Amino acid sequence: MKISFFSARKYEQEVFESVFANTGMELDFFELRLTAKTAQLAKGFTTICCFVNDLLNAEVLTELSKMGIKNIALRCAGFNNVNLPKAKELGIRVVRVPDYSPYAVAEHAVALLLTLNRKTHRAHSRIRDLNFSLEGLVGFDLRGKTVGIIGTGKIGRVFAGIMKGFGCTILAYDPYPHKEMESIGTYVTLPEIFKNADIISLHCPLNDSTKHLLSASTFEMMKPNAVIINTGRGALIDSKALIDALKTHKIGGACLDVYEEEEGVFFTDQSTGGIMDDVLARLTTFPNVILTSHQAFLTNEALRNIAETTRDNIRNLVDQGKCQNEL
Ligand code: NAD
């Protein structure tokens, strides 16, 4: 069987090739993102493998179905980019990797927070420029601060444990509270998180009820020094409202691994063409914003787990007709 990979990058190809060796499955890697324009590349395959920013809307799914695509293996946890009802209607089966390394993502959230707070990125550039001044590099102790965690699933709980280790007080919100959190923090309402947290981290899925969870009205409730962290999905935050909140000092800073219009920009080198998205361009200008290009998942352990689960998902779907990770 041949499987086509969209949005394939070199760092994952090596891992996938080693994990799929001797399985009888042949992998064809396309660097292009799946869109209506690139869907034709799937011709001749029955199974394709997609990532977070591949477009799997009704139009693309219909195209894929006409070409004979039967299975879509997502090599990620989130599936907000897939029109699942349409896939079902077309008889296309979709599997995902629900759990590959909550540590990778939670640790990246902490890395962003520590960097923004202690300004190590700025200190590093200064020292390379032989500037040993400490002006403008004052941070704050994490110990004693209140951390609000929205979504206490696999990643949110790991993040909660790490922040507890720093000596923080943990507040959490999740419509489905988790027993493990009882020994780590306290479940409260969302407004209580917005009002009381010094640090707010988003770990819930993106869906109709969580889109723009952080908006002008919620920034209004926050402490003026509050730092927000988003390693979930970009559209959990209204980016224009975030810019206003930063400009008017309603919040203290933002650590962002995801951005609501990241498709087509993140994972690519835009250094010669420049940024065409004015909102993203403005976000990159704030000294109290740190941005990474959806890299929270990117550890050796996570890549291997993603490749192994994807291999098993496809095998189960094709050989046994059922897969526990089917959506
Ligand atoms: P999970 O399914 O284990 O946990 C999600 C939690 O969110 C669940 O406990 C659920 O009850 C809760 N939730 C649902 N609706 C909510 C709401 N309205 N408000 C608050 N909580 C709500 O998922 P996970 O593995 O912890 O991943 C969380 C999210 O992280 C994923 O949905 C994905 O979007 C994102 N993610 C990002 C990266 C990255 O590289 N940046 C990597 C993996 C996952």
Side-chain angles (χ1 to χ4, degrees):
M1 182 185 23
K2 272 174 73 178
I3 302 156
S4 77
F5 278 64
F6 284 89
S7 303
R9 294 290 177 270
K10 208 169 165 7
Y11 52 75
E12 54 182 351
Q13 287 178 26
E14 287 162 11
V15 184
F16 269 90
E17 265 160 0
S18 107
V19 167
F20 276 69
N22 308 318
T23 59
M25 294 189 246
E26 203 183 307
L27 312 181
D28 227 334
F29 296 104
F30 302 119
E31 207 175 311
L32 288 170
R33 183 166 82 94
L34 175 63
T35 63
K37 272 190 190 160
T38 61
Q40 285 302 318
L41 289 169
K43 223 175 192 154
F45 298 86
T46 51
T47 300
I48 61 170
C49 184
C50 297
F51 197 46
V52 288
N53 289 333
D54 286 317
L55 190 63
L56 290 153
N57 62 12
E59 184 192 2
V60 174
L61 287 168
T62 307
E63 263 321 289
L64 293 172
S65 171
K66 280 187 204 154
M67 283 182 263
I69 297 299
K70 300 268 178 268
N71 310 306
I72 297 174
L74 297 175
R75 54 184 191 282
C76 52
F79 49 90
N80 52 287
N81 54 333
V82 189
N83 184 332
L84 281 179
K86 189 70 190 175
K88 279 212 162 54
E89 181 194 314
L90 295 165
I92 297 178
R93 302 178 75 177
V94 184
V95 290
R96 67 168 180 145
V97 183
D99 182 9
Y100 46 85
S101 173
Y103 310 102
V105 183
E107 288 170 15
H108 190 74
V110 178
L112 290 177
L113 174 64
L114 289 172
T115 306
L116 189 81
N117 173 25
R118 303 307 300 269
K119 303 163 180 66
T120 40
H121 55 319
R122 299 178 67 194
H124 178 68
S125 324
R126 270 188 200 184
I127 281 170
R128 287 170 74 100
D129 223 11
L130 307 184
N131 175 356
F132 293 85
S133 157
L134 298 183
E135 287 305 324
L137 300 185
V138 181
F140 58 83
D141 284 8
L142 287 175
R143 187 181 163 77
K145 295 294 181 293
T146 298
V147 176
I149 298 173
I150 301 179
T152 55
K154 294 176 284 296
I155 297 169
R157 293 202 304 278
V158 173
F159 181 77
I162 298 172
M163 297 316 292
K164 179 91 178 163
F166 275 109
C168 297
T169 300
I170 310 295
L171 301 180
Y173 171 77
D174 194 310
Y176 306 97
H178 201 282
K179 209 158 171 43
E180 197 187 298
M181 281 298 292
E182 282 171 12
S183 59
I184 303 177
T186 314
Y187 279 107
V188 295
T189 63
L190 272 179
E192 282 175 278
I193 287 195
F194 298 141
K195 280 183 203 148
N196 297 308
D198 301 293
I199 295 148
I200 297 174
S201 198
L202 305 180
H203 300 289
C204 55
L206 173 64
N207 54 39
D208 289 344
S209 74
T210 58
K211 184 168 183 208
H212 290 184
L213 185 76
L214 300 193
S215 61
S217 60
T218 53
F219 289 130
E220 203 69 51
M221 286 187 240
M222 291 181 196
K223 289 183 172 183
N225 287 330
V227 173
I228 59 162
I229 309 171
N230 189 8
T231 57
R233 283 292 181 267
L236 294 173
I237 300 179
D238 178 342
S239 309
K240 287 186 181 151
L242 171 61
I243 289 173
D244 286 342
L246 289 161
K247 279 165 74 177
T248 51
H249 307 288
K250 291 218 163 73
I251 61 165
C255 304
L256 309 173
D257 183 52
V258 285
Y259 166 63
E260 58 182 326
E261 301 293 337
E262 68 180 47
E263 293 87 354
V265 179
F266 281 21
F267 309 128
T268 67
D269 181 355
Q270 305 277 327
S271 59
T272 48
I275 304 177
M276 296 302 135
D277 178 333
D278 290 349
V279 175
L280 178 60
R282 184 68 179 96
L283 280 173
T284 62
T285 65
F286 289 100
N288 50 346
V289 170
I290 187 162
L291 260 164
T292 49
S293 178
H294 207 137
Q295 78 173 71
F297 73 99
L298 198 60
T299 65
N300 291 325
E301 291 81 357
L303 286 175
R304 180 150 278 272
N305 286 340
I306 289 170
E308 287 175 352
T309 307
T310 301
R311 175 198 62 199
D312 297 346
N313 280 348
I314 296 172
R315 266 188 184 152
N316 291 339
L317 208 55
V318 174
D319 298 345
Q320 286 154 33
K322 59 177 186 197
C323 172
Q324 61 168 357
N325 295 326
E326 184 167 3
L327 291 166

